[in-house]
Amino acid sequence: DMPFGDMEPFGREDTAQELTESSIHESDSMVDQLERAEVAEEKRAVFRALTRLRGAAITSFDGIARQQTGNIDQYTQSNKWRKQHPVRHLAQQESDYSKWAFPDF
């Protein structure tokens, strides 16, 4: 004879099984949600880092481009191609038309 044998049983075995399965399901869902939240945070952090890196690379590139443009400007101010390579215009060479238009025969 069991103590409290005259009391009605509380719940049944299938109720306990359902509650256990429900607890397992909810715990799994909670862990899955935590994993999804962690992945989302990792993506956000990586995106932010890459965005900052991209900004630094663009800034660096812009500085290099400005320097190179300045170098070109400086070179063109101090080196004139026409001074080193005079252009002989045909019109100037033939400017004395009396020699070619009215030759002495």
Side-chain angles (χ1 to χ4, degrees), residues 55-74:
I58 288 171
T59 300
S60 177
F61 178 81
D62 288 349
I64 292 167
R66 275 192 297 278
Q67 181 65 40
Q68 185 63 22
T69 303
N71 291 344
I72 293 168
D73 288 341
Q74 182 182 359

Side-chain angles (χ1 to χ4, degrees), residues 46-92:
V46 167
F47 183 81
R48 181 171 184 239
L50 290 174
T51 300
R52 293 179 124 196
L53 180 62
R54 180 179 179 266
I58 288 171
T59 300
S60 177
F61 178 81
D62 288 349
I64 292 167
R66 275 192 297 278
Q67 181 65 40
Q68 185 63 22
T69 303
N71 291 344
I72 293 168
D73 288 341
Q74 182 182 359
Y75 179 83
T76 57
Q77 288 173 0
S78 62
N79 295 289
K80 300 294 181 188
W81 191 87
R82 293 185 111 191
K83 285 183 181 178
Q84 297 172 0
H85 306 89
V87 176
R88 291 191 254 154
H89 294 283
L90 184 59
Q92 289 175 338

Side-chain angles (χ1 to χ4, degrees), residues 1-10:
D1 211 23
M2 294 187 65
F4 311 108
D6 55 343
M7 294 182 71
E8 289 192 30
F10 175 77

